[in-house]
Amino acid sequence: MKKAILLLVMVFSMTLIFAQNQIGNGKKPQPRKDKGNIEQLKDRGDRLEKDDEHKPHVQPEGVLVLVAHPNLKESTANKALMETAKKVEKVTVKNLYEDKKFDVEEYTELVEKAAAIVFQFPFYYASAPSQMKLWIDDVLYMFNKSILKNKPLLVVTTTGSEEDSYHSGARNQFTMEELLRPYQFTAMHSGMLWQAPLIVYGMSTKEAEKNLNDGCKKYQRLLEELAQTKVKPAGLEHKKGNGAKDGNFKMTAPNKAQKINKPEQKASQSR
């Protein structure tokens, strides 16, 4: 036992003497080997920030129309609406069904350059065709919000049923404004300005031709107005209000006392 204690004392003494010698020799602690790497990363970050500061600002201009129809060749209504959009100056039209795989960089550039965005599609089963949903999931949510901030979002859609069927107590129970709520939320969540949607009703009714002609004329006027949009720089918007206000979108709840029927089943390819 005494030998063990004596051994521990000797080890402690030698450690103490070694430490004193190191201090006496004036040796400084060695720097961390990764310090240089940290400084390099910091320098690189500073350079990137300076590069961003000198990057030319892209002034958004014109309208980007994203069309989602699974069979435009057989379409009557959406094909006519798309052709109307193509005739308006400062309007770029993209058919989402022509893309087998979305190029995020391409769409980032298109959206960044545009001052307003339009989603155009036939209203299928209370929603848009799958390619529009996929674009929102795989492309839109990859964007930096700064390229969407303060840009108007207009939804243009067609229905098979007449307008009177879209209200509480009618065949489809809900208004189209209520059924399009998810797209309004997408606009607000992304910092865009929700616009009152353009809905071309009754494409499976006797009034189809008249409604479509009226819809195309109104679509042209809306696009011409949107093409003149001047986007406010992010951070200059009013503190009060949101995208819903800009589109005069009235928030109303469906009548819960009414029975909710299944959504419209007439998803005709001809729309």
Side-chain angles (χ1 to χ4, degrees):
M1 183 68 179
K2 291 181 180 180
K3 290 182 179 180
I5 293 172
L6 180 60
L7 182 60
L8 287 173
V9 171
M10 291 176 63
V11 171
F12 177 76
S13 299
M14 292 176 65
T15 303
L16 184 60
I17 292 170
F18 176 78
Q20 290 176 343
N21 288 338
Q22 289 288 94
I23 295 172
N25 292 335
K27 291 185 177 180
K28 297 180 180 180
Q30 295 296 318
R32 288 180 55 179
K33 293 182 179 180
D34 60 353
K35 184 178 180 181
N37 294 334
I38 294 173
E39 290 178 350
Q40 289 176 5
L41 291 173
K42 183 178 182 300
D43 291 341
R44 184 185 176 196
D46 292 340
R47 288 197 302 272
L48 288 174
E49 288 181 4
K50 291 179 180 178
D51 290 342
D52 289 339
E53 291 175 0
H54 292 91
K55 184 179 179 180
H57 174 68
V58 177
Q59 179 59 46
E61 184 182 37
V63 184
L64 174 62
V65 177
L66 301 175
V67 180
H69 192 295
N71 190 4
L72 273 171
K73 290 182 180 180
E74 301 297 326
S75 169
T76 300
N78 271 270
K79 186 176 181 180
L81 289 168
M82 185 180 72
E83 293 304 320
T84 297
K86 287 181 177 180
K87 295 176 183 177
V88 180
E89 291 186 8
K90 297 182 180 180
V91 171
T92 300
V93 178
K94 285 285 292 182
N95 178 6
L96 296 183
Y97 275 89
E98 290 180 349
D99 292 322
K100 294 181 179 179
K101 184 178 180 180
F102 295 128
D103 186 334
V104 176
E105 290 186 5
E106 177 190 358
Y107 279 104
T108 298
E109 184 176 351
L110 287 171
V111 170
E112 187 174 17
K113 289 181 178 179
I117 311 296
V118 174
F119 290 171
Q120 181 196 315
F121 54 84
F123 198 64
Y124 283 176
Y125 298 96
S127 189
S130 60
Q131 198 76 341
M132 176 61 75
K133 301 173 191 173
L134 187 63
W135 187 88
I136 292 172
D137 289 344
D138 290 356
V139 181
L140 186 141
Y141 285 122
M142 295 295 291
F143 292 154
N144 185 314
K145 283 188 178 181
S146 64
I147 71 170
L148 298 169
K149 191 74 171 177
N150 298 323
K151 294 184 178 182
L153 174 64
L154 172 67
V155 166
V156 178
T157 189
T158 58
T159 72
S161 297
E162 68 281 2
E163 183 175 3
D164 288 344
S165 68
Y166 288 98
H167 63 79
S168 180
R171 184 171 69 256
N172 293 315
Q173 282 293 328
F174 299 95
T175 66
M176 281 297 296
E177 287 80 6
E178 290 169 335
L179 293 170
L180 291 171
R181 286 279 198 265
Y183 299 96
Q184 181 189 7
F185 177 80
T186 296
M188 296 171 65
H189 180 71
S190 303
M192 292 186 284
L193 306 178
W194 176 252
Q195 306 297 296
L198 171 59
I199 303 153
V200 184
Y201 292 98
M203 293 299 97
S204 297
T205 70
K206 295 179 181 179
E207 300 296 318
E209 185 176 354
K210 177 182 180 301
N211 291 352
L212 181 57
N213 288 335
D214 292 343
C216 286
K217 292 176 183 177
K218 188 171 183 180
Y219 193 21
Q220 181 175 342
R221 290 196 301 270
L222 287 172
L223 288 174
E224 289 172 347
E225 292 174 5
L226 288 173
Q228 304 304 317
T229 300
K230 302 296 182 184
V231 180
K232 295 179 184 178
L236 295 183
E237 66 276 4
H238 296 294
K239 291 183 179 180
K240 293 183 179 181
N242 52 37
K245 182 177 180 181
D246 291 271
N248 297 320
F249 196 96
K250 185 177 179 182
M251 301 292 285
T252 57
N255 188 345
K256 294 183 179 179
Q258 299 291 339
K259 180 179 178 183
I260 298 177
N261 298 324
K262 292 182 179 180
E264 178 187 8
Q265 300 294 317
K266 300 177 182 179
S268 172
Q269 292 284 339
S270 65
R271 281 193 260 146

